[in-house]
Amino acid sequence: MPDTVKEDTNNYPALVEQFIKGDLDDARFKGRRVPMGIYSQRGYEPGEERYMVRVRVPGGVVTKEQLRTLNELSKEYGNGYVHITTRQDVQIHQVKIEDTPEVLFKLLEAGLSPRGGGGNTVRNILNSARAGVNPEEAFDTTPHNLALTEYLIKTRSSFNLPRKYKIAFSSDPKDDSLATLNDLGFIAIKQDGKRGFKVYGGGGMGGSSELGIVLEEFVEEDKIFHIAEAIKRFFDEYGDRSNKHRARLRFVRKRLGDEEFVNKYKEYLAEVLAEDLEVEDLNRYEELRESKGEKIDLTADYLYQEKVEGYYSLELRMENGDISYDELNSLLDLLGDSEISLRTTIKQGLLIRGVKGQQLERLIEKINQVNPNLVVSNMGTMPVSCKGASTCKLGLCVSPNLSEAIREKLITLGDKLQAALPQIYISGCPNVCGQHIIGNIGFEGKAKRYNDRLVPHYALFLGGNVEEGNSKYGEAAIDIPAKRIPEFLAELAKLLADDQDYNRVDFNEYLDKGGKDKIVELAEQFIEIPTYEEDPDIYKDWGKEEDFSLAGRGPGECGAGVMDIIQLDINTAKSNYQKAIKEEDNNELYKATVNASRSLLAVRGIDTDKDRVILSKFKTEFIDKNLVDKGYAEVLDAALDYKLGDIDSLLSYQGQIKGLIERVEFLFNSLNAKLEFELEEVTSDNNNEDKNILDSKVVDLRGVKCPMNFVKAKVAIAPLDSGEILDIYLDEGAPIANVPQSLASEGHEILSKEKREDGSYSLRVKKA
């Protein structure tokens, strides 16, 4: 465990104490706890909040002792369940905030930590759960996964990125850990007898999902550190920190184009390779490499032959990734001190590895006594599902409850019908945490309105696939009411089992041969919405007594970070100022000055609650560097004098305090993708290009290239009132293609685009 992680864990209790005392506001605390892997959960009243702790499990590698620790912590501090995620992490739910420091320390003692489990950080690095025992793999990628994890998480720059950075290793071309779909992916191959990787980059699921593109056809195994470092620096420089909805690496690729994206990556890689990079020694992990043995051709939905003859891996699937304290405790007792090893899987399960053939039948029998649903004969009956609206603030629908309803329905069917369905994936909203776009069949939660009431729905996605060279995302086909989906799937199983075309090809080939039309035609029989009086149940989500609503939904915390904190301080300063003017309150004027000064310090990496330090650092970082007029130094001095009791009033400074707040907000709106202020320095008369832009309803951005033209457009539109019109002059090509789309994505209305006589364009925008 790197020293930086230990240091951050040791510093965390003081933050919790400040938060509980009210000395640290919620938004600022969120920006510190989320990168520590601690998220607030939905459904709790103020003062009764509970939190989820997401524990990093690199490559799914977890010992039986560590699992027992996690289980005990879930009982002592949580809800008595552990949850396995689609990123091989383990989560503990419903923890009180005052208990989180103790949880973190006990995790650290077990060699575990949630550091980087959330926020704009290097997230848990995926690995093939069967790596090391899979007869078809090129080689075991577990050492590479663990070594790269250790290399990245010891560096603080890995925890202050524009957005999350996701990496994956797959040990064979079937790509069972989604390397072709991550920000950075490594697929193991051998070339001329050397171990190495084919490298993919710029992929990702979520808003505007993208498949990765090939960055390297082959690199030797010791270059994984250099490539990951190069991509991290590239992302750090080019990721859009000003818009967290377009901050992921795939948006950098969209902005630059594939060719320029690869060229830039190559530039950063050359820079890294020229350095004496201090990397991890892969030989430290040599004992984790696979054993050698003969392949035996044996497969099953839950059973895999290992490389060594007579040994098997057994896959357990937990419903919605949850396993109770008693069940996990019994399971760990069954495994005892044996040499059997464990891996968490991206399908929310556990892979038991190294089971001797003669032990299999007895082990499965005992596991069935613990829970008969852990060993699943047909994976189509056990959907992968995110937590949805059950705990997540972004969730629309309660996806785990739909998953349970589907399973209850499908297990009533015969084995032939159960086997006809492929793996099903469910997300409670468009954010793809349930990976619905990679499944042959996927469902995406959404809300639709009928008869002036909301009805929970899911979009049916068809055709997703993951395999090196053949990965693709599924496409939405039709929306189905949530309450009709289990019955639809039961009828779909019958359709597929009876269709001779389907029996001869795989699911996606079947779709291409006319099967998609048949499935949509079937789904159309389940989409009619009766009136509320005819069927009130369809207006409710699964497992809910009340009518469907979006109550409790709010901003998610995955992207908690610097921009949220800056905006909070600016808004607080404005509120302080308004109250001060209304009530002639000197204390509020003082607070307004401090909050305005503190807001932008986050851009400089400064986070302090000491007023004297705030005012001093603002002078150093903004006034002395000519980003704020030197005249405002007088205001800061007066504020400090007031605090010390040397003067009685700040009312004579209220105009200057207002000007300070406005200048700070102007600077905030001018931040570019790198969190840099690309403005001319202020002069004593405040006469500069950006002030002219600010005062004008026409802004000329001809000659300004992407993405700075968008930044300057944002600066120009920021001070306008809602509904005001701004005309922007832009060059043809990328500027007129990209800026309107970017402004529209932020909610502004594009009224017109007209070509001018000089070949440029005039863009008319109405502020949101």
Side-chain angles (χ1 to χ4, degrees):
M1 192 66 65
D3 289 340
T4 50
V5 173
K6 295 176 183 177
E7 290 168 8
D8 292 339
T9 304
N10 288 330
N11 293 334
Y12 175 72
L15 297 173
V16 175
E17 185 177 353
Q18 291 177 46
F19 173 68
I20 292 173
K21 288 181 177 179
D23 296 335
L24 185 63
D25 58 71
D26 184 64
R28 191 172 295 273
F29 180 50
K30 181 174 73 172
R32 304 293 287 275
R33 65 170 165 77
V34 170
M36 292 298 293
I38 298 169
Y39 284 76
S40 68
Q41 295 195 278
R42 182 172 178 167
Y44 294 96
E45 297 296 324
E48 301 295 327
E49 293 89 349
R50 294 292 185 272
Y51 295 78
M52 174 266 286
V53 181
R54 180 184 294 143
V55 183
R56 181 190 290 270
V57 182
V61 179
V62 62
T63 67
K64 293 188 283 289
E65 293 76 15
Q66 287 174 328
L67 261 184
R68 202 176 285 279
T69 295
L70 289 162
N71 201 32
E72 293 298 332
L73 291 175
S74 77
K75 181 182 181 183
E76 184 174 358
Y77 299 105
N79 62 350
Y81 280 79
V82 298
H83 174 73
I84 299 171
T85 76
T86 55
R87 201 155 187 93
Q88 296 180 291
D89 294 303
V90 174
Q91 293 176 178
I92 302 170
H93 287 257
Q94 297 182 21
V95 180
K96 295 179 180 178
I97 196 62
E98 59 266 30
D99 290 334
T100 53
E102 189 66 21
V103 171
L104 265 60
F105 284 124
K106 290 184 176 180
L107 287 171
L108 206 58
E109 291 173 6
L112 296 166
S113 175
R115 184 69 168 110
N120 304 328
T121 65
V122 175
R123 297 296 185 89
N124 197 40
I125 301 179
L126 297 181
N127 192 42
S128 301
R130 296 178 62 210
V133 297
N134 181 1
E136 299 177 354
E137 69 187 9
F139 55 87
D140 184 8
T141 52
T142 306
H144 308 79
N145 180 291
L146 299 180
L148 185 58
T149 295
E150 188 164 335
Y151 168 77
L152 287 170
I153 68 172
K154 71 182 179 184
T155 309
R156 293 206 181 278
S157 61
S158 295
F159 299 98
N160 188 31
L161 296 169
R163 202 73 168 87
K164 63 189 79 169
Y165 177 21
K166 293 185 174 181
I167 305 172
F169 286 87
S170 283
S171 62
D172 77 62
K174 290 181 180 177
D175 193 16
D176 58 353
S177 69
L178 317 184
T180 56
L181 311 182
N182 272 251
D183 295 302
L184 179 62
F186 298 94
I187 296 184
I189 55 176
K190 288 182 179 178
Q191 183 170 298
D192 299 327
K194 295 180 178 179
R195 297 175 187 262
F197 294 94
K198 189 170 183 177
V199 184
Y200 285 80
M205 293 184 281
S208 300
S209 300
E210 288 286 342
L211 302 174
I213 56 174
V214 177
L215 300 181
E216 304 281 356
E217 289 291 344
F218 178 82
V219 293
E220 293 189 25
E221 59 182 336
D222 61 346
K223 295 299 183 289
I224 59 173
F225 308 100
H226 305 80
I227 291 171
E229 178 68 24
I231 289 290
K232 187 178 79 171
R233 294 183 189 181
F234 179 17
F235 183 33
D236 195 30
E237 284 287 312
Y238 280 81
D240 187 352
R241 283 182 163 88
S242 66
N243 184 351
K244 68 183 181 181
H245 301 295
R246 300 186 68 82
R248 293 289 299 278
L249 184 64
R250 61 183 178 273
F251 292 105
V252 177
R253 176 183 151 201
K254 282 174 180 275
R255 197 162 67 236
L256 297 178
D258 287 357
E259 183 178 355
E260 182 63 14
F261 179 83
V262 175
N263 289 339
K264 282 291 181 187
Y265 151 72
K266 296 284 188 182
E267 289 176 14
Y268 280 89
L269 181 61
E271 174 187 300
V272 173
L273 289 171
E275 299 176 9
D276 185 19
L277 200 66
E278 186 178 341
V279 302
E280 299 299 315
D281 182 4
L282 285 170
N283 292 325
R284 288 179 56 202
Y285 302 90
E286 190 67 34
E287 69 275 9
L288 289 165
R289 292 200 186 278
E290 75 277 5
S291 303
K292 304 297 181 184
E294 298 298 322
K295 173 183 174 183
I296 295 178
D297 187 17
L298 175 69
T299 58
D301 267 10
Y302 57 85
L303 192 62
Y304 305 93
Q305 167 65 41
E306 295 186 357
K307 289 184 175 181
V308 178
E309 183 176 354
Y311 283 81
Y312 300 85
S313 294
L314 176 65
E315 184 178 1
L316 306 185
R317 289 288 298 279
M318 293 78 187
E319 192 165 32
N320 298 321
D322 294 333
I323 184 168
S324 72
Y325 172 83
D326 289 337
E327 289 172 350
L328 184 51
N329 205 42
S330 297
L331 180 62
L332 292 171
D333 287 344
L334 279 180
L335 302 181
D337 297 327
S338 67
E339 295 182 0
I340 287 172
S341 63
L342 297 170
R343 298 284 189 275
T344 55
T345 77
I346 66 168
K347 292 186 179 178
Q348 302 177 309
L350 276 174
L351 189 70
I352 303 176
R353 301 160 33 124
V355 183
K356 294 180 180 179
Q358 60 266 36
Q359 298 174 333
L360 261 178
E361 186 176 346
R362 180 63 176 155
L363 179 61
I364 292 172
E365 180 182 322
K366 289 183 176 180
I367 290 173
N368 285 334
Q369 291 173 6
V370 173
N371 182 338
N373 294 320
L374 291 175
V375 180
V376 181
S377 297
N378 297 297
M379 291 302 182
T381 66
M382 183 68 83
V384 172
S385 172
C386 72
K387 280 295 183 181
S390 62
T391 62
C392 176
K393 291 187 175 182
L394 286 178
L396 294 169
C397 300
V398 189
S399 41
N401 290 359
L402 172 62
S403 174
E404 292 172 14
I406 289 172
R407 178 155 176 76
E408 288 177 8
K409 181 65 178 179
L410 296 184
I411 60 177
T412 65
L413 306 178
D415 288 343
K416 179 183 177 182
L417 297 183
Q418 291 182 27
L421 289 171
Q423 178 70 67
I424 297 166
Y425 294 80
I426 308 172
S427 297
C429 77
N431 279 292
V432 201
C433 296
Q435 301 180 339
H436 63 276
I437 60 175
I438 70 170
N440 294 161
I441 296 177
F443 292 98
E444 177 189 291
K446 61 194 309 183
K448 300 184 77 172
R449 191 175 296 279
Y450 288 86
N451 306 316
D452 295 324
R453 293 177 183 269
L454 288 175
V455 179
H457 276 69
Y458 286 83
L460 169 65
F461 277 69
L462 297 171
N465 188 66
V466 181
E467 185 177 17
E468 206 274 323
N470 194 32
S471 291
K472 66 175 184 175
Y473 291 127
E475 297 179 352
I478 190 172
D479 296 340
I480 307 174
K483 284 295 182 76
R484 298 280 172 78
I485 289 174
E487 186 63 36
F488 158 70
L489 288 172
E491 293 302 313
L492 177 58
K494 296 174 186 176
L495 169 66
L496 296 175
D498 292 339
D499 195 317
Q500 295 303 312
D501 289 336
Y502 180 58
N503 293 328
R504 288 191 291 268
V505 297
D506 68 21
F507 189 85
N508 283 354
E509 286 183 80
Y510 173 73
L511 294 178
D512 294 338
K513 292 179 180 292
K516 181 176 180 179
D517 292 338
K518 295 179 184 179
I519 293 173
V520 172
E521 184 178 346
L522 174 66
E524 287 173 345
Q525 301 175 26
F526 295 88
I527 63 175
E528 184 179 351
I529 304 297
T531 65
Y532 188 82
E533 291 71 25
E534 291 172 329
D535 184 7
D537 188 58
I538 206 168
Y539 293 82
K540 299 175 172 59
D541 207 344
W542 284 102
K544 297 294 182 180
E545 295 296 325
E546 66 276 9
D547 290 347
F548 180 64
S549 77
L550 303 183
R553 191 172 192 266
E557 298 190 341
C558 293
V562 64
M563 302 301 286
D564 297 328
I565 293 172
I566 295 172
Q567 189 66 70
L568 171 81
D569 285 337
I570 291 174
N571 290 344
T572 304
K574 288 180 177 179
S575 177
N576 295 145
Y577 181 79
Q578 293 299 325
K579 185 175 181 181
I581 299 307
K582 183 178 180 180
E583 301 177 7
E584 295 190 352
D585 190 321
N586 283 288
N587 286 327
E588 290 297 321
L589 280 174
Y590 171 76
K591 292 177 184 177
T593 306
V594 171
N595 282 315
S597 301
R598 178 169 67 173
S599 62
L600 292 176
L601 294 182
V603 175
R604 302 299 195 220
I606 301 168
D607 186 23
T608 177
D609 295 317
K610 294 181 171 59
D611 292 0
R612 183 192 297 272
V613 177
I614 290 169
L615 298 174
S616 172
K617 290 294 184 182
F618 185 81
K619 279 185 182 180
T620 302
E621 295 295 330
F622 295 96
I623 294 178
D624 293 349
K625 294 181 179 178
N626 294 323
L627 287 167
V628 174
D629 190 272
K630 295 186 184 301
Y632 288 114
E634 180 186 357
V635 177
L636 304 189
D637 291 339
L640 191 57
D641 288 343
Y642 173 78
K643 181 69 172 178
L644 294 173
D646 294 337
I647 61 174
D648 296 328
S649 174
L650 289 173
L651 293 176
S652 62
Y653 293 93
Q654 64 185 38
Q656 291 168 279
I657 293 172
K658 180 183 179 183
L660 175 66
I661 296 170
E662 289 174 348
R663 180 61 187 176
V664 164
E665 185 168 32
F666 175 73
L667 286 171
F668 174 58
N669 288 325
S670 75
L671 283 169
N672 68 10
K674 301 178 186 178
L675 284 188
E676 297 170 342
F677 305 103
E678 300 224 5
L679 305 175
E680 294 180 5
E681 295 180 351
V682 297
T683 60
S684 59
D685 61 0
N686 286 320
N687 185 20
N688 59 68
E689 175 194 355
D690 293 285
K691 185 66 165 61
N692 291 336
I693 288 176
L694 195 65
D695 291 339
S696 176
K697 295 292 181 66
V698 177
V699 55
D700 188 351
L701 299 182
R702 290 172 296 178
V704 182
K705 296 181 179 180
C706 298
M708 276 309 301
N709 47 23
F710 173 53
V711 174
K712 288 180 177 290
K714 285 181 66 173
V715 171
I717 204 170
L720 302 184
D721 292 330
S722 176
E724 284 196 80
I725 307 298
L726 178 70
D727 288 316
I728 306 172
Y729 296 161
L730 294 162
D731 292 326
E732 63 179 354
I736 192 60
N738 295 335
V739 172
Q741 182 180 351
S742 299
L743 291 173
S745 71
E746 297 199 339
H748 307 302
E749 183 180 353
I750 306 302
L751 299 178
S752 65
K753 287 188 291 186
E754 296 181 1
K755 194 161 187 175
R756 293 158 46 88
E757 291 183 2
D758 64 357
S760 65
Y761 283 79
S762 175
L763 179 71
R764 176 156 288 189
V765 183
K766 182 179 180 181
K767 183 172 179 179

